[in-house]
Amino acid sequence: MRKKVIAGNWKMYKDVNESIEFVKELVLKQNNIPDNTDVIICVPFTSLFSVNQILKDSKIKLGAQNMYYEDQGAYTGEISPLMLKSTGCKYVILGHSERRTYFGETDDIVNKKVKKAIEKDLTPIMCIGETLQERESGITNQIVEKQVRGGLNGLSPEEISKIIIAYEPVWAIGTGKTATPAQAQDVHKFIRDLISKISNDKVASNLIIQYGGSMKPENAKELLSQPDIDGGLIGGACLKVDSFYGIITA
Ligand code: PGA
């Protein structure tokens, strides 16, 4: 039985003080987290260290939203996996559609980052998903396949077993439009079958595949009860303690 994994992606919201206040409240309510559920919050780089001081002994795990694929060096403005680890961070979102769209991240770059994260024992949450135009042209599966194969290129089944995939249709991110549970389930099933081809059945059946894109307390239960949807990557609705718990308890 796969666990449910609910991850909050704060994006570029909350300064250090706001982060600390928010996380204190999250931890106070952590008894609401069901047994079979992992909760992760992916905060801005600037809040990682202080948030970890509060989360350390809690049930909630810490993640970042990006990293570079070198250990160190003359890469002004970048953050390395070793730096992330030194803050106590255990997860990292890679290849989010906003990174792909605004910062030119390609499947090849995402692949380098995924490999490096695994090498350094950080769990990558690799994001993939089609645009509205791609969905309307009927090429969703092709796009998703290209992103999965590209992002996981050269990884062994053992390495693939260490990642989380987040399926996030670009047209559903921050738009209030959610994929229907059936639309999401179809793509999740397609991804799981694909993972089985590029690794093996065991890796595929244990793989956590999250849905992301306007998930909120009102639609979470139906999405999360689909057989191949193992959790959510939540943007907008994770910025308020109550709506985040609304999803976690769904
Ligand atoms: P959203 O964002 O929940 O605000 O649609 C999801 C994401 O970008 O991961």
Side-chain angles (χ1 to χ4, degrees), residues 17 19 70-71 81 88 95 122 168 185 188 198 210 215 224:
N17 290 328
S19 302
E70 295 290 347
D71 294 351
L122 286 163
E168 300 203 299
Q185 166 57 26
H188 281 237
I198 61 182
Q210 297 175 319
M215 194 187 262
L224 293 169

Side-chain angles (χ1 to χ4, degrees), residues 11-239:
K11 309 193 180 188
M12 202 173 71
Y13 292 102
K14 300 191 192 295
D15 67 17
V16 175
N17 290 328
E18 291 164 341
S19 302
I20 292 172
E21 287 312 303
F22 184 87
V23 171
K24 281 185 183 159
E25 207 183 327
L26 274 187
V27 171
L28 274 180
K29 299 187 173 164
Q30 66 173 348
N31 285 340
N32 290 314
I33 301 175
D35 282 343
N36 63 342
T37 306
D38 281 347
V39 175
I40 306 164
I41 51 171
C42 299
V43 310
F45 292 137
T46 43
S47 294
L48 283 167
F49 182 82
S50 358
V51 163
N52 188 53
Q53 305 309 306
I54 303 164
L55 290 187
K56 259 196 289 217
D57 302 312
S58 80
K59 293 190 197 168
I60 302 166
K61 300 161 204 270
L62 182 62
Q65 301 170 18
N66 181 30
M67 57 163 235
Y68 195 52
Y69 52 73
E70 295 290 347
D71 294 351
Q72 57 176 18
Y75 301 105
T76 302
E78 290 296 324
I79 299 285
S80 88
L82 299 174
M83 293 169 181
L84 292 185
K85 286 193 71 167
S86 74
T87 68
C89 167
K90 299 276 192 310
Y91 295 80
V92 59
I93 297 173
L94 295 175
H96 189 278
S97 81
E98 287 147 19
R99 301 290 323 165
R100 295 177 189 258
T101 307
Y102 305 133
F103 304 99
E105 285 194 17
T106 59
D107 289 332
D108 189 44
I109 294 172
V110 175
N111 181 238
K112 290 192 172 116
K113 292 184 174 186
V114 168
K115 282 184 178 150
K116 185 51 100 175
I118 294 171
E119 180 193 311
K120 299 299 179 199
D121 260 332
L122 286 163
T123 301
I125 301 177
M126 185 179 87
C127 303
I128 56 170
E130 82 289 358
T131 62
L132 185 59
Q133 200 193 359
E134 288 160 347
R135 173 160 286 267
E136 285 173 348
S137 320
I139 55 170
T140 297
N141 288 358
Q142 273 159 264
I143 296 298
V144 164
E145 175 156 3
K146 186 177 146 292
Q147 292 173 335
V148 170
R149 287 190 184 274
L152 302 184
N153 188 23
L155 267 71
S156 66
E158 211 223 313
E159 289 170 322
I160 296 177
S161 74
K162 295 181 177 159
I163 71 164
I164 293 174
I165 290 184
Y167 167 60
E168 300 203 299
V170 178
W171 48 271
I173 297 179
T175 57
K177 283 188 209 151
T178 326
T180 64
Q183 278 174 328
Q185 166 57 26
D186 277 353
V187 182
H188 281 237
K189 172 85 171 56
F190 175 78
I191 296 167
R192 200 177 301 286
D193 291 344
L194 177 61
I195 293 294
S196 171
K197 278 189 241 161
I198 61 182
S199 58
N200 58 50
D201 288 352
K202 182 155 178 261
V203 170
S205 70
N206 289 327
L207 184 79
I208 298 294
I209 309 177
Q210 297 175 319
Y211 169 82
S214 301
M215 194 187 262
K216 40 188 181 254
E218 303 79 61
N219 59 28
K221 194 174 178 134
E222 221 191 327
L223 284 159
L224 293 169
S225 51
Q226 300 301 309
D228 289 291
I229 301 185
D230 309 312
L233 181 57
I234 326 295
C238 83
L239 295 171

